[in-house]
Structures are given as C-alpha cells and as structure tokens.
Amino acid sequence: MTGHVIVTNGLTKRYGDRVAVDRVALTVRRGEVYGFLGPNGAGKTTTLRMLLGLVRPTGGEITVLGRPPGAPDALARIGALVEGPGFYPYLSGRDNLRVLARYAGLDDVAVEAALELVDLTARASDRFRKYSLGMKQRLGVAGALLGRPELLILDEPTNGLDPAGMADMRNLIRALAEQGQTVLLSSHLLGEAQQICDRIGVIAAGRMLTETTVDDLRGESTLVVRGEPLDTARSVACRMVGADKVSTVDGMVRLQADAARSPELIRALMSAGVTVHEVRPGERTLEEAFLALTGVGLDDGTETTP
Ligand code: ATP
C-alpha cells in the first residue's frame, strides 16, 4: 500500500433508490495531482465527502493515508476545500486564516507561510469581502494548506473563476505539485485537468469509467471532416480506421487518426465523391472523450444510445 495515499474499493453511496456513487475504485498515489473528472451530478462531491468522512458510504472500502475516512489523526494530515470556503467578510484574509489556524492549533508562522504559498501576502490585510473571486478561492486553498498537509483535496477549485483566475489557480496547483504535494481535485473540465493533472479518473452517473494518465487520454489524436454527403464521408472514415474509431458530432465526422494521415483521408474522400469543406485536427472536448470512452453523454450524466 506504500505510495498510495487514497484507495477505494467498491465505494458506493445510495440516496434512497438513487445510486450517487456506484462501486468506485480509485487510487491516488503519493506526490501526484489526480483529477477526478466528470459532469455535474456525476458523484464527485459525494465521493470527496466520503473520503473525508463527511458522508457515510453505503458500501465499499476507503483508506486515506492508511486510515479509515474521518480518522482524526489522518484528518490532521489532510487539507480540504470541499464546500465553498466559509470566511468572515469583514475580517482580512490574514485574520480569517488566523481564525482557522487557532482551531487547528497552528501559529501565525503557518498563516504567513500559507499566504505566501497562494501569493496573497501583499493583499492579506484587505477585507475578505473586497477580494475578487479568484482571491477568495486562493484564500480557501490557503486555508486548506495551513500546516502543510500531506494531502490536499479540492472540489472544483476553479469553479466560478474567470479565465485569468483559472490560470492562476492552475499555476498554484502545479507549483504545489512541484514541491511534492499530493493533490486530489475534481473538475468538469477536461482541458483544465489535462493541464494540471498527472492522472485522471473519469466518473459519470456514479461510475468510474477509466483511471488513466493524462498522456494516455491525450494520446488519441483525431481528425475532423466537414463534407457532403456526410454518410459517404463517414463510410470513407470507417474504411480507413474502423467503425469503432469514427463518430459523427454536430454534422461532422470525427475519426481517431494522426494528423499526418489527413492527405490520405482527403484523397479517399475525394475519390468517393465527397465535397470536402474542411479536414482538420480535432481537439477533443470532454463530451467527445466521454462518448469515445463509453457512449455515455456528458451534460447530465444520462445514458445515450450510441
Ligand atoms: P456537482 O459538480 O454538480 O457537485 P458531482 O459530480 O459532485 O456534481 P454529487 O454532488 O456527488 O455530484 O451528486 C451525485 C448525485 O447524488 C446527484 O444525482 C445528486 O442529486 C445526488 N445527491 C447528492 N447528495 C445528495 C443528498 N444528500 N440526498 C440525495 N441525493 C443526493
């Protein structure tokens, strides 16, 4: 078990008839940034709350830092930002952290260190209510970082941030990772996870679809074809790479193929009589990655028939 900071097996949570988390097996290794990825309602928050001992599982096993979830000695080594951070609006960022530090039995040195880590020292005397959303979120992370916990659990740390704030948060998490911090974060943005995570677990409708490295997920390059007739374009693509590697999205044909194959593809399309408007390398959206993985739609986690 060494090297594994979190291990779950068959982790399940039911609310009445509804299975929010369905036999999830998850492993987070020491020193990695692990992205727990899935659409809204997929079961991410419920899982994170179970890891922290805030929600009792219906079934399955959890080990966090070698202990059952919620064990006080393990919790002391975990920093978490799961609900939005509750801070006092009229206190400064620094004083808010001091309040948290007192609860945790930490001194002001820990507060200053945490402020430094999230790059808020210069604004630490400003009142919380004056902070931008990004600063509020960074203060939340600072709170989770008090005392330098071994494991950081962050639920949607970039949620609600503007692009600049998101980039700041990504940089912060990467910087922490470079210092050896283990981070488990949830996100519904594949692009974001690709930029900060070493490994990713993909969850939809309560089920873990895959646990993989970002490189593997990224590995599949695609080509997108816009042409008419679409059916013929699709047949050509299927002949070239096999039907299981072809999908039709938004009136375009998308195939898993390296960009280097586009001349070959264009020739094949033209000789089949397809009017080719466009062939370009495709960037997979999370939705497409999900579809490619499983045929499960993303938006609301409901099943679609492929
Ligand atoms: P989001 O990003 O929207 O929070 P999520 O992936 O974190 O999504 P969860 O919040 O874990 O998803 O919710 C998973 C499912 O469990 C949802 O269908 C939700 O409605 C349901 N659920 C969560 N908490 C409860 C609860 N206390 N009672 C009943 N159902 C719940």
Side-chain angles (χ1 to χ4, degrees):
M1 225 29 100
T2 36
H4 283 155
V5 173
I6 300 175
V7 181
T8 76
N9 232 317
L11 183 60
T12 299
K13 179 66 188 180
R14 274 191 218 95
Y15 291 105
D17 286 346
R18 182 167 201 126
V19 187
V21 175
D22 193 0
R23 291 161 290 166
V24 163
L26 171 105
T27 51
V28 178
R29 299 170 187 159
R30 188 165 298 281
E32 75 181 358
V33 178
Y34 184 103
F36 196 33
L37 206 61
N40 290 336
K44 303 181 298 291
T45 304
T46 304
T47 302
L48 298 186
R49 291 175 66 85
M50 287 195 284
L51 297 178
L52 291 164
L54 296 169
V55 166
R56 185 192 288 273
T58 314
E61 293 139 33
I62 305 177
T63 311
V64 181
L65 295 170
R67 306 278 289 123
D73 54 341
L75 282 183
R77 296 152 62 200
I78 303 172
L81 182 60
V82 170
E83 299 300 306
F87 286 120
Y88 297 100
Y90 292 99
L91 290 186
S92 68
R94 175 179 284 115
D95 285 341
N96 267 296
L97 287 190
R98 283 179 173 164
V99 171
L100 289 180
R102 299 283 180 280
Y103 282 134
L106 297 164
D107 57 16
D108 288 351
V109 177
V111 169
E112 296 310 315
L115 285 168
E116 197 64 44
L117 277 168
V118 303
D119 199 20
L120 269 183
T121 306
R123 302 290 303 276
S125 318
D126 296 3
R127 286 180 177 179
F128 177 75
R129 60 188 283 267
K130 294 264 168 85
Y131 281 3
S132 69
L133 210 52
M135 290 164 70
K136 288 178 175 169
Q137 204 72 337
R138 293 218 301 276
L139 190 69
V141 174
L145 276 170
L146 279 172
R148 289 318 299 271
E150 288 170 52
L151 169 64
L152 206 54
I153 297 182
L154 307 173
D155 194 13
E156 300 265 2
T158 61
N159 217 13
L161 301 185
D162 62 15
M166 284 173 118
D168 278 355
M169 183 58 72
R170 284 198 298 269
N171 291 338
L172 167 60
I173 292 168
R174 275 315 324 169
L176 292 170
E178 269 147 39
Q179 298 164 34
Q181 177 79 57
T182 306
V183 183
L184 166 60
L185 61 91
S186 72
S187 177
H188 62 279
L189 304 172
L190 179 65
E192 168 173 294
Q194 284 187 334
Q195 291 177 58
I196 42 182
C197 299
D198 303 303
R199 280 197 317 137
I200 285 177
V202 178
I203 187 171
R207 280 196 222 127
M208 194 75 137
L209 305 180
T210 183
E211 212 177 45
T212 177
T213 63
V214 167
D215 288 344
D216 277 351
L217 204 66
R218 222 188 228 148
E220 292 181 352
S221 35
T222 61
L223 284 171
V224 177
V225 179
R226 218 153 48 79
E228 288 163 302
L230 190 66
D231 284 354
T232 317
R234 191 188 162 96
S235 311
V236 170
C238 289
R239 273 203 299 281
M240 196 167 129
V241 296
D244 57 328
K245 297 204 169 98
V246 176
S247 57
T248 312
V249 184
D250 291 338
M252 289 179 288
V253 176
R254 182 179 293 267
L255 58 155
Q256 287 171 31
D258 199 82
R261 294 190 75 182
S262 49
E264 175 195 347
L265 176 63
I266 293 167
R267 276 196 299 276
L269 288 165
M270 293 184 62
S271 59
V274 175
T275 308
V276 180
H277 296 294
E278 188 182 18
V279 172
R280 60 174 166 83
E283 282 178 14
R284 290 207 308 180
T285 62
L286 178 54
E287 174 119 38
E288 289 152 359
F290 266 68
L291 280 167
L293 272 171
T294 60
V296 175
L298 224 204
D299 281 335
D300 51 9
T302 51
E303 308 256 334
T304 53
T305 358

